Amino acid sequence: MENEKDAFYVVRKGDVVGVYTSLKDCQAELGSSAGNPSVSVFKGYCLPKEAEEYLVSHGLKGATYSISATDVQNCFSRQLVACPFQDVVGSTSSVANTQGKCVKLDNHVEVPAISSSCLSCSLEFDGASKGNPGLAGAGAVIRADDGSLVYRLREGVGIATCNVAEYRAVILGLKYALKKGFKHIRVQGDSKLVCMQIQGLWKTKNQNMADLCKIAKEFKDKFMSFQIKHVERDFNSDADAQANLAIFLKDGEVHEEHDKIRRKIQCF
């Protein structure tokens, strides 16, 4: 298994926590972990700078850290997810330790109560054009799994058709979801054309639309999981409101609103 870009691993052994930015270091640690204390493995992406600074402030430097579990509370602002041993050490649950012996690892992982809202989200998108083509705007709303607001977004599109505005809206939302660190996303919009073309079920008929579709697919492929569905206009009112506000913005000008009081995720 190759290292994933920006991935890091948190290994908890009893009251001690190790943070590894190298998969090989993580595997080596697991290879020496037999019996007691119990071991749990977690995986995250993009080790936050503030978390690294926190660890360094406790005298920890380099790619591998070791720290008391009680000191890790609130250290990470991004969510960690339980990582099964087989995903880390390969298809077999036996790995060699430093003495060359084989150690059987316990596949049971105790998962702490971690909200999934920091890893998975939903995206509502819509486009508006006054004249089709005419002054156009793109709107997007990103929500966490619990329904709480993450972003309201609007972007000026200039003079464009409604279809172009719809594409600009979904691209805007996907870009900000990735920026926020989400890895799983469910998308909905009232443009059947955009939904079907992104899924590859409908062909694009002109180069401009093909280019926008390509950009949307490139963002789509950066998520670990992606779903998109067409909904009726009545179920897309929030994104529609943002799109209509966006027509007064300059082409490429983005306004954002976000929830400033979202609670921090406690990892342990």
Side-chain angles (χ1 to χ4, degrees), residues 1 27 30-31 84-96 102-107:
M1 179 178 175
Q27 290 171 327
L30 292 177
F85 281 112
Q86 60 267 27
D87 287 353
V88 179
V89 301
S91 58
T92 176
S93 59
S94 296
V95 294
C102 240
V103 180
K104 189 76 172 179
L105 296 179
D106 182 4
N107 272 348

Side-chain angles (χ1 to χ4, degrees), residues 28 31 55 132 140 165 211 238 248:
L55 293 168
N132 200 27
D211 291 343
D238 288 347
F248 301 106

Side-chain angles (χ1 to χ4, degrees), residues 39-96:
V39 179
S40 298
V41 184
F42 304 89
K43 185 177 183 180
Y45 291 87
C46 300
L47 183 62
K49 183 178 180 180
E50 60 269 23
E52 188 164 354
E53 290 175 349
Y54 174 87
L55 293 168
V56 170
S57 71
H58 282 66
L60 308 168
K61 299 179 180 180
T64 304
Y65 307 93
S66 180
I67 189 170
S68 170
T70 58
D71 290 332
V72 180
Q73 191 83 357
N74 291 328
C75 177
F76 297 103
S77 61
R78 295 180 185 272
Q79 185 206 4
L80 300 176
V81 295
C83 186
F85 281 112
Q86 60 267 27
D87 287 353
V88 179
V89 301
S91 58
T92 176
S93 59
S94 296
V95 294

Side-chain angles (χ1 to χ4, degrees), residues 11 27 56 115 232:
V11 179
Q27 290 171 327
V56 170
S115 169
E232 297 300 324

